[in-house]
Amino acid sequence: MEKIGNFEGSIHNADYDAPYLAKLIKSDSLIADCGRPKESLNGQWHYGVDQYDTCLRGKWFEEKYFDGGGRRYPLDYSFDTWDTMNVPSCWNTQSEWYFLYEGSMVYTRVFDYKNRGEKRVFIKFGGAANRAFVFLNGEYLGAHIGASTPFCVEVTEQLKAVNRIIVVVNNTRRRSGVPLDNTDWFNYGGLYRDVDIIRLPGAFIRDFTAALKPDGNFNKICVTVGIDGAESGAANLKIGELGIDTRIEITNGRGEAEIAAAPELWSPDNPKLYDVVLSFGEDSLSDRIGFREIKASGTEILLNGESVYLRGVCAHEDSVVNGKAVSEAEIRENYRLAKEMNCNFMRLAHYPHSEAAARIADEVGIMLWEEIPVYWAIDFGNKAVFADAENQLSELIIRDRNRASVVIWSVGNENADTDDRLEFMSALAGTARRLDPTRLVSAACLVDHQKLVIADRLAEHLDVIGINEYYGWYEPDFSKLPRIFENSRPVKPVIISEFGADARGGHRGTADELYTEDNQLDVYRRQIDTLGGIPYVRGTSPWILFDFRCPRRLHPLQNYYNLKGLVSGDKRHKKPAFYAMRDFYEKIREAEAK
Ligand code: GCU
């Protein structure tokens, strides 16, 4: 008979996590939830720092307190007398004890439930870093892998009047992870995004998309609908402001329609959003959606048919106070700073930021590059790693494909041009196009520093070629940069997805003194002078809007921060290079306005 605690079952089973990982929660778990009533499970959750994964090894979720004869077992846990921590948050910012903690954290709380006539109930997690094992009332519901994308679990069968939910969150870095165990950003951990209960009727809208038909005419809206719990029937789409009130036939649980319409087109200067209501039977969704077209044509990027320069900047999902659990106010501050720098574009690096980031970008008018963390030396030959990456990409696209602000899906960053990588990332590009044929696909590629040319083989599979280059910093010989552009003949638009230099805020010196603002400014001036003259460079997103935490930066001037920000980490201090970019972008904007 299997015993608990320190008995054979948990002490001899080295592969204790295999049965858990055999039940993965994937992108098909997602449910469209915009405008749905939700009940929050945010708040104070009890937690236990579980370095040795004893909860999973010992199956604590079973809460076996007595043996067959009613004799009490000694327990190594006590859920409801543990300390509490706020959800959503990163445990790293909740106590100095956990600042550098990497491993498992057991989260648990109790909540009441009373049926109000709904037939199906789900719990949605906005994001848990990096793995989450979910249990309800002693039952294992599955594991989600991926620190930055949402997932749902159905709990209809498991719910009781009083419920215990347990979520074991693990942020151990792994060689076979996506990202892998070496990144240039801080590895936060925790239940750091919202947790909500969603009540649904027997038949409900599982997914829907609404976008302008990308045929250059700007006069049709394409809608697709996926129904769960009914094979046939009719959905109804309303866009009051456009006089649209259309029936959409559902067959085999799916429906689609092409509706004649002439919406005001969304753009950063005119972020027009429409109220869209979709209903099916007892179920309905509402969303605010902008309609625009984004295309690549030759080496041009066309927004609503007009050539546009992507005046951008990169940003991490990081905050001095909240870590990765950034607040809406912090997201708005990032966009406000970017707008002050005359940006119309932001590269959200290197993983999906919160859903709010895209919704707010829709509202304030910033185009977005969204990316999955296929970063540096991912284990490209490993099929399970591909499945993980593809799943994260799918979850991102399913979550944000109705966001007008999102114009580019990026399948990765700075990977060596190997055969395995080419196969891996070109397949991801295919997945992105299959899930969403209306946007551009890109990746941040490296130049060939020997031959001084843009020659990444992945470019063939991309719509826009992202190029990261650090001439003037990691590559001190700046004279090579213009030669790269002379030697290259791309037939697609190029975005310089990263360039920059570290500078400690307020640290002044001469232009060749590293880590000074003067050196950073000098690098920016030379970059701007070079990049501004390259016809096929149709966008730039310097690295990076604000300084961010990074365990790889041990120089005393850095103090575990990457200092390439144009603004300090607390966003209070703008470095001189910020103004250089602002003025560069002002010139481009004026030229485009003519
Ligand atoms: C790389 C990388 C970033 C990193 C940056 C840097 O290009 O993509 O993640 O932070 O360089 O070194 O500062």
Side-chain angles (χ1 to χ4, degrees):
M1 181 186 77
E2 174 159 10
K3 301 206 174 153
I4 68 162
N6 271 2
F7 293 99
E8 300 80 19
S10 66
I11 61 175
H12 290 155
N13 179 5
D15 298 326
Y16 68 94
D17 57 356
Y20 296 112
L21 292 171
K23 189 174 183 180
L24 289 182
I25 304 164
K26 298 187 179 163
S27 61
D28 57 3
S29 84
L30 291 175
I31 293 169
D33 64 336
C34 41
R36 284 192 193 286
K38 285 180 276 207
E39 290 141 69
S40 176
L41 284 176
N42 292 353
Q44 293 299 308
W45 289 51
H46 294 282
Y47 72 91
V49 180
D50 186 9
Q51 259 183 315
Y52 288 28
D53 250 350
T54 314
C55 175
L56 295 182
R57 293 173 194 272
K59 300 187 174 151
W60 292 352
F61 63 90
E62 293 175 344
E63 296 190 74
K64 274 195 185 144
Y65 299 152
F66 305 96
D67 71 1
R71 287 167 292 272
R72 178 173 279 284
Y73 282 123
L75 300 178
D76 299 321
Y77 63 92
S78 169
F79 292 141
D80 299 328
T81 59
W82 281 347
D83 286 345
T84 62
M85 177 190 296
N86 195 44
V87 168
S89 73
C90 298
W91 61 64
N92 318 77
T93 61
Q94 300 305 297
S95 154
E96 279 179 16
W97 284 94
Y98 312 138
F99 182 64
L100 289 175
Y101 177 59
E102 293 185 307
S104 284
M105 186 77 82
V106 183
Y107 289 84
T108 184
R109 64 163 289 177
V110 170
F111 65 92
D112 299 338
Y113 168 76
K114 196 165 181 328
N115 187 289
R116 295 193 208 128
E118 64 277 3
K119 296 283 184 298
R120 312 267 303 270
V121 185
F122 295 79
I123 296 180
K124 176 188 175 187
F125 296 84
N130 305 348
R131 294 180 168 195
F133 301 84
V134 184
F135 306 85
L136 187 71
N137 297 334
E139 235 183 282
Y140 176 53
L141 301 177
H144 181 262
I145 297 180
S148 308
T149 44
F151 59 99
C152 297
V153 287
E154 177 155 16
V155 291
T156 313
E157 303 307 317
Q158 290 78 15
L159 279 170
K160 299 177 182 161
V162 180
N163 302 277
R164 172 178 301 288
I165 183 167
I166 299 172
V167 186
V168 177
V169 178
N170 178 284
N171 77 334
T172 302
R173 287 172 291 116
R174 296 162 205 275
R175 172 70 193 87
S176 61
V178 180
L180 78 170
D181 55 0
N182 179 31
T183 66
D184 199 46
W185 67 84
F186 191 96
N187 180 37
Y188 292 104
L191 268 182
Y192 71 102
R193 292 186 184 152
D194 295 339
V195 184
D196 293 298
I197 295 178
I198 305 176
R199 299 169 188 249
L200 294 166
F204 62 89
I205 302 161
R206 181 172 274 275
D207 68 79
F208 101 102
T209 65
L212 203 60
K213 184 172 183 176
D215 61 5
N217 297 319
F218 320 113
N219 61 2
K220 284 196 194 70
I221 292 175
C222 299
V223 177
T224 68
V225 182
I227 301 294
D228 188 316
E231 287 300 304
S232 60
N236 177 268
L237 181 90
K238 275 195 183 62
I239 311 180
E241 226 183 314
L242 293 173
I244 292 174
D245 184 347
T246 302
R247 181 188 162 88
I248 300 174
E249 286 310 322
I250 302 296
T251 318
N252 301 328
R254 298 215 58 85
E256 48 189 74
E258 226 177 71
I259 304 158
E264 209 182 308
L265 299 178
W266 183 96
S267 71
D269 294 336
N270 177 41
K272 171 66 184 172
L273 300 176
Y274 287 89
D275 289 316
V276 177
V277 179
L278 181 73
S279 52
F280 180 84
E282 296 169 58
D283 190 29
S284 82
L285 288 174
S286 60
D287 203 351
R288 289 185 54 71
I289 297 180
F291 298 101
R292 54 98 190 95
E293 183 188 277
I294 189 80
K295 273 207 157 129
S297 165
T299 58
E300 300 291 323
I301 296 174
L302 306 181
L303 174 65
N304 301 330
E306 304 276 325
S307 176
V308 66
Y309 189 99
L310 302 186
R311 309 187 308 267
V313 68
C314 295
H316 261 298
E317 187 173 52
D318 195 16
S319 141
V320 173
V321 177
N322 297 314
K324 204 172 159 40
V326 293
S327 67
E328 266 208 34
E330 288 173 315
I331 295 169
R332 288 182 186 281
E333 172 67 358
N334 294 348
Y335 292 147
R336 193 196 60 69
L337 283 166
K339 289 253 179 190
E340 189 184 333
M341 211 169 88
N342 288 319
C343 290
N344 60 6
F345 174 67
M346 194 179 276
R347 175 183 176 211
L348 302 184
H350 292 292
Y351 38 76
H353 291 205
S354 77
E355 190 171 349
R359 287 190 174 282
I360 298 170
D362 272 11
E363 189 198 312
V364 300
I366 289 259
M367 291 181 279
L368 294 179
W369 159 308
E370 294 200 318
E371 183 165 296
I372 54 165
V374 173
Y375 184 86
W376 288 350
I378 286 275
D379 188 0
F380 287 112
N382 181 329
K383 292 276 173 279
V385 173
F386 179 79
D388 179 3
E390 187 177 43
N391 186 62
Q392 293 189 43
L393 180 63
S394 307
E395 287 173 343
L396 168 62
I397 294 177
I398 291 167
R399 186 194 75 180
D400 286 357
R401 59 184 165 185
N402 284 339
R403 306 277 70 79
S405 57
V406 181
V407 291
I408 295 177
W409 304 119
S410 166
V411 293
N413 179 78
E414 290 194 355
N415 321 97
D417 187 356
T418 64
D419 293 349
D420 281 348
R421 175 260 191 171
L422 183 61
E423 189 189 330
F424 188 113
M425 292 177 76
S426 54
L428 289 177
T431 301
R433 291 197 181 93
R434 182 170 47 75
L435 288 169
D436 172 31
T438 70
R439 286 181 178 81
L440 303 171
V441 176
S442 188
C445 304
L446 295 168
V447 298
D448 181 328
H449 291 293
Q450 274 62 51
K451 299 195 186 103
L452 295 182
V453 69
I454 296 172
D456 191 315
R457 294 178 293 163
L458 183 64
E460 202 189 311
H461 303 272
L462 305 176
D463 303 306
V464 170
I465 307 167
I467 292 289
N468 290 4
E469 52 86 4
Y470 279 91
Y471 284 89
W473 187 251
Y474 296 127
E475 304 280 349
D477 181 356
F478 198 88
S479 71
K480 291 180 177 168
L481 185 61
R483 287 165 55 198
I484 289 171
F485 295 121
E486 281 151 29
N487 297 342
S488 306
R489 291 284 173 278
V491 293
K492 299 172 181 182
V494 168
I495 291 178
I496 306 301
S497 37
E498 286 184 37
F499 67 87
D502 279 64
R504 185 174 178 85
H507 185 48
R508 305 304 302 257
T510 57
D512 54 13
E513 224 177 312
L514 300 185
Y515 294 111
T516 63
E517 293 185 329
D518 307 83
N519 173 263
Q520 185 190 54
L521 177 60
D522 179 61
V523 170
Y524 269 76
R525 285 196 173 131
R526 291 189 284 162
Q527 286 277 357
I528 288 169
D529 288 351
T530 304
L531 301 177
I534 313 298
Y536 54 74
V537 170
R538 297 305 296 151
T540 40
S541 54
W543 191 260
I544 184 165
L545 180 60
F546 52 87
D547 299 344
F548 60 95
R549 279 199 184 96
C550 179
R552 298 175 66 250
R553 309 293 171 164
L554 283 70
H555 188 289
L557 275 173
Q558 295 173 314
N559 190 24
Y560 297 99
Y561 264 78
N562 182 309
L563 298 176
K564 292 191 181 67
L566 291 162
V567 174
S568 56
D570 60 10
K571 301 172 195 166
R572 293 211 190 105
H573 172 77
K574 294 186 185 76
K575 305 173 190 178
F578 176 95
Y579 301 104
M581 274 322 284
R582 181 198 62 187
D583 300 347
F584 173 55
Y585 285 161
E586 180 57 24
K587 283 204 197 84
I588 292 178
R589 190 166 54 171
E590 279 165 7
E592 275 185 354
K594 283 203 187 98

